[in-house]
Amino acid sequence: MYKKNNKYSRRFRGQLQRIILALSTILVLSSLCSALMAQSTTQRMGFEISGGAMRYGGSMPAVDTKAAVSFGLHYELTDQIHLQLTYTASEAGGGDSALINSAHMGNDTRSNTYYFRSNINEFTLTGSYDFFNLNDGYKFTPFVLAGGGMYNFKPYQVVEYANAKGALRKENQAMKQVEPFSNWQVNVPVGVGLKWAFSPNTQLKLEGKYRLLFNPYLDNYVADGSNDHYYSISLGFIFRLSKISGGNGRHGGGASRKDCNCPPVY
């Protein structure tokens, strides 16, 4: 009985050793793959920052041009298909001298005519396509983009009041909503632009972007039932998070994955 049990015990130990060896091999391979993927990810990922101007379009005939700033992450799915996760901060503004302010939810008693302002905080996820491969030596490329996003807004007017010491102060005061609506809404950004490869790791980007909206509330005024929209133009930079070398003697000086130790992109 003891010999029989000892035989089973040796068999069990042998199976256990093979299982441990297999798990160890898998762990080592997983660690190597993770290291390679981490290197590949940082080489494909970049940081974007840009500035420009934004304008609103809707029911107001007079429209203000406002400054806009954006920053986010840029990831290369392939050499020519990219993803962008972007935050944009700006403001919309406009007015209509034919509308009486107090009759249209206006709270600025100094103004007889209707106007509005609204801060815009936008988060978008877009995909883009470069017509030429900047990683293969091209210096310039046009691109197109489209995606989806969410934005927060709150129409307001500038109200003047006297503080406890009698001094006049101004503050941005939210307007009463023309109809009940959420301050968070969905949008669809589409756009076109140009990229210029300064180096293998830095690109200059000029971009025009239009946002399709699904509500008429950005200006807190509902006229003919048509939805509002806003659009922007910006100039900025893309910086690769992990530097790659390449581009020596190639057309345009752009980075080529053939010239660096990057894993292939399929």
Side-chain angles (χ1 to χ4, degrees), residues 51-127:
M54 181 177 289
R55 285 174 66 88
Y56 134 92
S59 303
M60 302 294 107
V63 177
D64 301 330
T65 299
K66 300 292 186 178
V69 61
S70 301
F71 60 88
L73 295 176
H74 183 104
Y75 185 76
E76 299 177 359
L77 286 177
T78 71
D79 282 342
Q80 291 174 259
I81 300 176
H82 304 165
L83 291 176
Q84 299 84 28
L85 181 62
T86 309
Y87 167 74
T88 300
S90 187
E91 189 178 36
D96 188 345
S97 59
L99 300 177
I100 299 175
N101 194 39
S102 59
H104 294 88
M105 308 299 176
N107 50 22
D108 181 4
T109 56
R110 299 169 302 154
S111 177
N112 293 323
T113 61
Y114 181 81
Y115 74 94
F116 85 98
R117 294 177 185 170
S118 181
N119 292 324
I120 296 176
N121 293 281
E122 177 192 73
F123 300 88
T124 59
L125 178 63
T126 56

Side-chain angles (χ1 to χ4, degrees), residues 209-222:
K209 191 185 295 183
Y210 176 91
R211 280 76 159 189
L212 175 66
L213 308 184
F214 301 96
N215 68 83
Y217 303 127
L218 187 57
D219 53 17
N220 202 46
Y221 181 79
V222 179

Side-chain angles (χ1 to χ4, degrees), residues 2-60:
Y2 172 77
K3 291 182 178 180
K4 186 176 182 180
N5 290 337
N6 193 36
K7 179 181 178 181
Y8 289 143
S9 178
R10 287 197 302 270
R11 182 179 300 174
F12 175 75
R13 286 198 300 270
Q15 292 176 345
L16 183 60
Q17 289 173 351
R18 285 192 292 271
I19 291 173
I20 292 174
L21 179 60
L23 290 175
S24 300
T25 303
I26 292 173
L27 182 61
V28 171
L29 291 176
S30 297
S31 299
L32 290 174
C33 289
S34 297
L36 289 174
M37 289 180 65
Q39 182 187 31
S40 174
T41 297
T42 56
Q43 288 176 337
R44 296 177 192 173
M45 186 172 289
F47 175 76
E48 290 191 24
I49 185 168
S50 63
M54 181 177 289
R55 285 174 66 88
Y56 134 92
S59 303
M60 302 294 107

